[in-house]
Amino acid sequence: MQFIDLAAQYQHLKTKIDKRIQTVLEHGQYIMGPEVKELEQKLADFVGVKHAITCANGTDALTLSLMALNIQEGDAVFCPTFTFFATAEAIAYEKATPIFVDSNPDTFNICSNDLEQRILAVLDEGKLKPKAIIAVDLFGLPADYEKLEALSKKYNLHLIEDAAQGFGGSITDTRGNTRKAGAFGDIATTSFFPAKPLGCYGDGGAIFTDNDEYAELIRSYRVHGKGKDKYDNVRIGMNSRLDTIQAAILLEKLAEFPVELDSRNHAAKQYTDTLQEQYKVPVVPNGYTSSWAQYTLQCDDRDKAIAEYKEKGVPTVIYYGTCMHEQTAFASLGYKLGDFPIAEKLARSVFSLPMHGYL
């Protein structure tokens, strides 16, 4: 069996996707064609925000967001240590300093209690200026944005939602108001890497915001800092556009996405019902919905469990076996083993089972 069966999804959507691609081939507007604008509007409508701006990939989405927020050298940006490298890489790329934060043992997401302690420690030291938080919706589950938004307001920090894995997830508050992943913080980002809940057939990404100023800046930065046209460059930007064929593919995948989310949640429930006596299974808090980018178990003897699944022909993957503070690229920050006990335990005990909309 496949860990993520993109072929099954394509066969299901083949006629519609092929027609969309053929339309692009016929009109020939391969860069920023009409499908890009159509996709951006439908993404904004799906998430429930004013602006959705597509770009070349999820890492660029983070970089563009940090550029719009004027993150720079001397700034401290807080992010989980248990995450994919791109989250912290984007911070370092802007010459800011990533300040790593421990994890919640049940949801895998950033721990708000540890986050506040890290903020206070940076303020006490006085060497860096606390500027922003990047929260990651790990494995499909939105982070605890009620607490995160309160902390960002308390300490006057920008909040970025990294929804690369969480797109399609949601939180319903006690008043019955539902917000979807991509609608939290000052700016949110996602990735359309093929393995993501909503993925294209290459690289792609998007940024979401209700802030008109940020949206205008991001639209400029993604095309070489353009002003009134592409030959009027008013700031230093980058080249980060979603190509039209990928937008065309995503339009058909987005139309089918709610059905696939139902299928993912059904599969996750079956996993939980079957495996909860054997492993520590994922926790979805009350009011939360996960898009199940991954179905991740915890096991003290992970190698043995993986070997048993392999014998049965079931593929598994480890997300993530190395925390950010353990990465060679961040060795100069001076973290040591034991600084993030929960995240380190997760890195040595988690493994993920197959998960997709056609399981």
Side-chain angles (χ1 to χ4, degrees), residues 152-351:
S152 66
K153 184 176 181 180
K154 180 178 180 179
Y155 294 101
N156 193 29
L157 303 173
H158 295 297
L159 178 59
I160 298 172
E161 176 191 7
D162 182 347
Q165 296 179 37
F167 190 81
S170 65
I171 303 175
T172 301
D173 64 23
T174 54
R175 297 180 299 276
N177 300 314
T178 299
R179 296 167 69 187
K180 290 185 178 178
F184 297 99
D186 299 290
I187 300 176
T189 69
T190 197
S191 167
F192 299 127
F193 183 77
K196 294 297 190 287
L198 179 66
C200 57
Y201 291 157
D203 270 321
I207 303 108
F208 304 91
T209 186
D210 283 322
N211 186 296
D212 296 337
E213 180 183 352
Y214 295 156
E216 182 180 1
L217 280 170
I218 291 164
R219 289 190 178 102
S220 171
Y221 280 131
R222 73 169 170 176
V223 188
H224 302 291
K226 76 170 186 174
K228 63 180 182 293
D229 59 55
K230 67 179 182 179
Y231 297 115
D232 174 38
N233 304 100
V234 297
R235 55 183 60 86
I236 302 299
M238 60 196 297
N239 179 23
S240 185
R241 298 165 296 192
L242 180 71
D243 74 68
T244 310
I245 287 179
Q246 298 302 339
I249 292 164
L250 283 165
L251 280 165
E252 292 305 326
K253 288 197 174 191
L254 180 61
E256 190 71 11
F257 192 49
V259 177
E260 294 183 357
L261 286 175
D262 287 343
S263 178
R264 285 172 174 268
N265 274 275
H266 177 68
K269 184 179 185 303
Q270 288 186 295
Y271 273 145
T272 296
D273 290 346
T274 306
L275 301 173
Q276 60 187 340
E277 300 298 326
Q278 188 174 359
Y279 303 102
K280 184 173 181 181
V281 297
V283 174
V284 179
N286 187 41
Y288 285 63
T289 300
S290 177
S291 60
W292 296 108
Q294 313 295 343
Y295 187 90
T296 302
L297 300 168
Q298 297 179 58
C299 178
D300 290 337
D301 194 347
R302 178 171 64 189
D303 291 344
K304 179 182 177 183
I306 288 174
E308 289 173 349
Y309 276 104
K310 185 177 181 180
E311 285 181 8
K312 297 175 182 178
V314 179
T316 59
V317 178
I318 296 172
Y319 300 100
Y320 298 96
T322 306
C323 293
M324 290 302 98
H325 70 281
E326 299 174 296
Q327 297 283 357
T328 303
F330 293 120
S332 63
L333 296 180
Y335 293 107
K336 63 184 185 300
L337 193 65
D339 284 346
F340 305 88
I342 296 171
E344 290 169 15
K345 182 179 179 181
L346 291 175
R348 287 145 184 76
S349 64
V350 297
F351 68 101

Side-chain angles (χ1 to χ4, degrees), residues 115-163:
L115 170 61
E116 184 162 25
Q117 294 307 309
R118 305 279 174 179
I119 294 170
L120 291 170
V122 171
L123 287 169
D124 185 60
E125 188 177 35
K127 293 182 180 179
L128 298 171
K129 179 181 179 181
K131 195 73 170 286
I133 303 162
I134 300 180
V136 180
D137 301 339
L138 208 60
F139 305 151
L141 184 70
D144 187 350
Y145 287 103
E146 182 179 2
K147 291 181 180 178
L148 291 170
E149 288 176 341
L151 284 172
S152 66
K153 184 176 181 180
K154 180 178 180 179
Y155 294 101
N156 193 29
L157 303 173
H158 295 297
L159 178 59
I160 298 172
E161 176 191 7
D162 182 347

